[in-house]
Amino acid sequence: KPTGYEPVDQSETAATIGKHVDSMDMEEQAPAPAPPPKVDQTDLPMRTVAFSVLFYAACSSTLLLINKVAMHFVPDASFILFCQFVTSSLAVRVIKLASPDSDIEFLRWEKARPFFLACLIFFLCLLANTAALKSVNVETVIVARSCAPIAVSILEHFTLGRNLPTLQGTLALLAIAGGAVIYVVSDEGFKIEGYTWLLLYFVFIVTEMVFVKFIVDTVPMSTWTRVYYNNTLSIPLVLLSSMVMDFGGFMKVVWAWQHIAIVGLSCVVGVAISYSGFHLRKMVSATTFTV
């Protein structure tokens, strides 16, 4: 053998090379890191969820009553919605101006594109709701909305893969729907036009609940950013609907301080419900949010 060289064990060399190749194959075949887990209702403190639910419920019921009064003073649904959208959009900009480090993003095409369809459904839902208040009372709108959780739970199961309600949950949802049916049957103020708008409102709200939950889970944004996107992208829609339905209806109103006060109050509560709604949506399922 040559001087200065030791014999090489061919079996050890082959084993070493084999281990090296196997480790490279394992690295190449290693799965990509899993995305961060979604916020789940069970992972949050009950106090946090309960407070968010109460806050949103208070804003929702208050805005419903205020919109009813606002429609009495200013019978122009598109104008009232326009004021609410503009106020909410400007409120987010003021927050960003006052606190530049806040987690607020302005419009970006890659996020605005999927969010626009959610805004369209959201706007149609609000428009149908506000228009229905012209023909039916607040109680009728409330019970119509109470029927939505059953449809939402079914749609959420087939589209987002969420489990169907338990037996107790199903009985509770049926009890809500049963009460609504009894109310509608005994309603002496039945009007075809009003209930047509209610039917449209029902379809839009069921679709909106599930689709917006999908957007909240798949498009990363802060709550205030969602408020800004939702209201800002809805402004062109409300202007278009105003031209189609009854353009300039607000100009026929003899304005007084009462008119300004009620419309202004609806705008303030509109900001609150926008924030509380998106804040709660990221915590709970679409069915829970609807209930």
Side-chain angles (χ1 to χ4, degrees), residues 135-193:
S135 305
V136 298
N137 53 24
V138 174
E139 291 80 5
T140 305
V141 176
I142 292 176
V143 295
R145 192 185 188 284
S146 299
C147 296
I150 295 178
V152 171
S153 65
I154 297 173
L155 183 61
E156 188 177 24
H157 171 71
F158 287 105
T159 57
L160 302 183
R162 184 174 177 82
N163 294 332
L164 290 172
T166 62
L167 177 60
Q168 294 86 346
T170 302
L171 292 176
L173 295 179
L174 289 176
I176 296 174
V181 170
I182 294 174
Y183 181 89
V184 171
V185 170
S186 61
D187 184 14
E188 297 179 357
F190 183 87
K191 297 180 181 179
I192 297 299
E193 180 185 358

Side-chain angles (χ1 to χ4, degrees), residues 16-291:
T16 303
I17 295 174
K19 291 180 180 180
H20 180 66
V21 172
D22 291 341
S23 64
M24 292 178 61
D25 291 340
M26 292 179 63
E27 291 179 359
E28 293 177 356
Q29 297 174 2
K38 298 178 182 178
V39 176
D40 187 75
Q41 183 177 355
T42 58
D43 298 332
L44 297 170
M46 182 58 64
R47 182 180 301 178
T48 301
V49 177
F51 176 79
S52 299
V53 170
L54 292 176
F55 182 37
Y56 174 74
C59 294
S60 179
S61 57
T62 302
L63 185 61
L64 184 61
L65 293 173
I66 293 175
N67 277 348
K68 178 66 176 179
V69 178
M71 287 298 298
H72 174 73
F73 280 94
V74 185
D76 189 339
S78 297
F79 174 74
I80 293 175
L81 291 177
F82 173 79
C83 293
Q84 293 173 356
F85 292 151
V86 171
T87 301
S88 297
S89 180
L90 291 177
V92 177
R93 281 194 165 270
V94 170
I95 293 174
K96 182 65 174 179
L97 182 63
S99 178
D101 295 332
S102 56
D103 185 13
I104 296 176
E105 303 176 36
F106 294 141
L107 294 181
R108 295 166 53 189
W109 172 247
E110 59 271 17
K111 292 186 177 181
R113 182 173 51 186
F115 214 91
F116 180 76
L117 182 56
C119 292
L120 177 61
I121 301 173
F122 167 77
F123 168 73
L124 293 175
C125 180
L126 285 182
L127 184 63
N129 173 270
T130 309
L133 289 173
K134 291 182 178 181
S135 305
V136 298
N137 53 24
V138 174
E139 291 80 5
T140 305
V141 176
I142 292 176
V143 295
R145 192 185 188 284
S146 299
C147 296
I150 295 178
V152 171
S153 65
I154 297 173
L155 183 61
E156 188 177 24
H157 171 71
F158 287 105
T159 57
L160 302 183
R162 184 174 177 82
N163 294 332
L164 290 172
T166 62
L167 177 60
Q168 294 86 346
T170 302
L171 292 176
L173 295 179
L174 289 176
I176 296 174
V181 170
I182 294 174
Y183 181 89
V184 171
V185 170
S186 61
D187 184 14
E188 297 179 357
F190 183 87
K191 297 180 181 179
I192 297 299
E193 180 185 358
Y195 280 84
T196 300
W197 277 112
L198 278 181
L199 178 60
L200 292 174
Y201 170 67
F202 181 83
V203 173
F204 290 144
I205 196 171
V206 170
T207 306
E208 190 263 352
M209 289 293 175
V210 177
F211 187 75
V212 173
K213 177 61 177 177
F214 169 76
I215 294 296
V216 168
D217 287 344
T218 56
V219 181
M221 288 181 178
S222 66
T223 300
W224 279 119
T225 300
R226 293 188 182 103
V227 172
Y228 181 77
Y229 270 63
N230 190 71
N231 287 277
T232 303
L233 294 175
S234 297
I235 292 175
L237 299 175
V238 75
L239 291 175
L240 179 61
S241 71
S242 177
M243 297 177 183
V244 173
M245 296 182 64
D246 185 18
F247 179 74
F250 68 96
M251 293 188 292
K252 302 175 184 177
V253 176
V254 180
W255 286 85
W257 70 267
Q258 297 94 333
H259 299 75
I260 299 175
I262 192 63
V263 174
L265 183 59
S266 73
C267 294
V268 173
V269 181
V271 177
I273 197 174
S274 291
Y275 178 84
S276 63
F278 280 112
H279 182 67
L280 181 60
R281 284 178 192 269
K282 68 181 180 180
M283 295 183 177
V284 299
S285 67
T287 304
T288 303
F289 181 81
T290 310
V291 173

